[in-house]
């Protein structure tokens, strides 16, 4: 993390702590710019930066998704995949739900290492209900589980990578996943999913953070927009 820590602050709340970390002895908070995350990988060009999802937003979006699960589908059937897992906060929160398994994919070796440490601490507290792991990999090299998928993104990268990701999800669906739902937080390129005609929008919701999350938000914001999509080719 030394290379990351040496970069100067560009946001007022770059080093802000979160009570979620304090309570559980974790390291998931803070903000890192795209320059901080440079790995040497060709896909660095498309980085957006790092910050972690607000727990209240994550929990609310999952509840909403569960409410709109297609008939005959159960959470237990789905693998949860975090595209750009960062320090793993979303993985930890997802592991409180009865997913089949929880997997994070992260391009930055340093962040994947921190996520792995956080996962170990989370497991030691017996908070993980399901298998959970992080892989240090570019998302385009990821081998998608052949199970129903809940693919979660928190604005991880720019337009070109979203286009490639849509192709990967189409292949995963054909290869056996069949059911692919997407939760996209801060869905800057959400229109690409619907424009591809492979995904339909299920819902969009502006979620208000809990007071605790608002106080610890690196961007000093109080709401987040989330959109949900379902793979439904014509
Ligand atoms: C905004 S952070 C999201 C953190 C986490 N998903 C959460 O919700 O708390 C986006 C992450 O995507 C990662 N990322 C960007 N491009 C990637 C790629 N091509 N493959 C895997 N991860 C990538 C970044 O390194 C960064 O950690």
């Amino acid at each position: 993390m030394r290379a990351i820590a040496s970069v100067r602050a560009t946001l007022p709340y770059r080093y802000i702590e979160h009570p979620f970390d304090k309570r559980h002895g974790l390291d998931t908070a803070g903000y890192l710019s795209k320059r901080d995350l440079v790995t040497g990988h060709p896909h660095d060009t498309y980085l957006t930066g790092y910050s972690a999802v607000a727990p209240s937003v994550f929990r609310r979006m999952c509840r909403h998704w569960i409410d709109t699960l297609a008939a005959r589908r159960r959470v237990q059937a789905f693998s949860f995949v975090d595209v750009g897992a960062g320090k793993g906060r979303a993985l930890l929160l997802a592991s409180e739900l009865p997913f089949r398994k929880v997997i994070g994919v992260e391009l930055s070796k340093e962040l994947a290492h921190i996520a792995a440490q956080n996962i170990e601490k989370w497991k030691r507290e017996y908070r993980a209900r399901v298998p959970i792991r992080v892989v240090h990999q570019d998302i385009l090299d990821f081998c998608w589980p052949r199970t129903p998928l809940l693919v979660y993104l928190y604005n991880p990268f720019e337009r070109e990578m979203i286009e490639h990701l849509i192709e990967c999800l189409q292949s995963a669906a054909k290869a056996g996943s069949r059911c692919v739902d997407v939760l996209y937080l801060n869905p800057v390129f959400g229109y690409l999913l619907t424009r591809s005609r492979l995904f339909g929008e299920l819902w969009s919701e502006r979620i208000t953070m809990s007071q605790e999350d608002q106080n610890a938000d690196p961007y000093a914001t109080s709401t987040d927009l989330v959109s949900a999509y379902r793979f439904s080719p014509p």
Side-chain angles (χ1 to χ4, degrees):
M1 278 300 285
R2 195 169 301 130
I4 289 174
S6 68
V7 179
R8 291 172 67 83
T10 52
L11 272 182
Y13 301 111
R14 183 183 181 87
Y15 299 112
I16 198 159
E17 292 188 313
H18 196 292
F20 175 75
D21 286 358
K22 287 189 197 154
R23 269 197 296 278
H24 304 292
L26 302 168
D27 167 17
T28 64
Y31 166 81
L32 296 164
S33 74
K34 56 185 176 185
R35 275 185 301 146
D36 302 345
L37 294 177
V38 166
T39 64
H41 192 283
H43 291 163
D44 283 351
T45 320
Y46 308 111
L47 290 167
T48 53
Y50 172 79
S51 61
V53 60
S56 56
V57 170
F58 187 86
R59 290 184 171 122
R60 165 68 204 158
M61 78 169 94
C62 285
R63 268 200 309 277
H64 196 161
W65 172 72
I66 289 168
D67 288 346
T68 51
L69 260 187
R72 294 179 284 111
R73 292 281 179 194
R74 293 163 63 244
V75 179
Q76 285 83 348
F78 282 78
S79 300
F80 174 96
V81 178
D82 184 352
V83 175
K87 300 185 190 179
R89 186 187 290 171
L91 301 177
L92 308 180
L93 295 165
S95 77
E96 293 180 333
L97 295 167
F99 287 110
R100 183 170 181 151
K101 54 188 165 185
V102 169
I103 307 170
V105 186
E106 174 52 52
L107 186 63
S108 155
K109 191 175 176 186
E110 287 87 353
L111 293 192
H113 179 67
I114 294 170
Q117 288 179 325
N118 286 327
I119 289 169
E120 282 318 304
K121 285 183 189 155
W122 197 248
K123 284 181 178 167
R124 280 202 296 274
E125 277 196 24
Y126 301 103
R127 297 192 68 89
R129 293 175 61 179
V130 294
I132 166 174
R133 68 192 167 95
V134 62
V135 290
H136 166 225
Q137 206 171 35
D138 177 70
I139 191 63
L140 301 189
D141 295 331
F142 179 58
C143 185
W144 294 85
R146 294 186 175 206
T147 69
L149 295 171
L150 177 59
V151 178
Y152 160 70
L153 299 88
Y154 175 8
N155 189 27
F157 34 59
E158 302 289 353
R159 184 174 55 80
E160 291 82 347
M161 285 294 290
I162 296 285
E163 285 168 346
H164 290 309
L165 178 67
I166 291 171
E167 288 165 15
C168 289
L169 295 179
Q170 183 181 19
S171 304
K174 277 190 190 153
S177 298
R178 289 187 305 277
C179 177
V180 181
D181 282 358
V182 175
L183 282 178
Y184 192 170
L185 170 61
N186 192 3
V188 179
F189 303 106
Y191 67 92
L192 292 174
L193 284 119
T194 44
R195 208 171 69 182
S196 72
R197 301 172 64 87
L198 296 170
F199 289 85
E201 186 177 309
L202 290 176
W203 47 262
S204 262
E205 184 183 357
R206 181 157 289 283
I207 301 176
T208 301
M209 295 174 191
S210 68
Q211 194 58 54
E212 175 177 287
D213 286 341
Q214 289 183 34
N215 295 343
D217 187 63
Y219 307 97
T221 54
S222 57
T223 66
D224 270 326
L225 182 65
V226 183
S227 296
Y229 305 86
R230 178 158 293 154
F231 185 73
S232 50

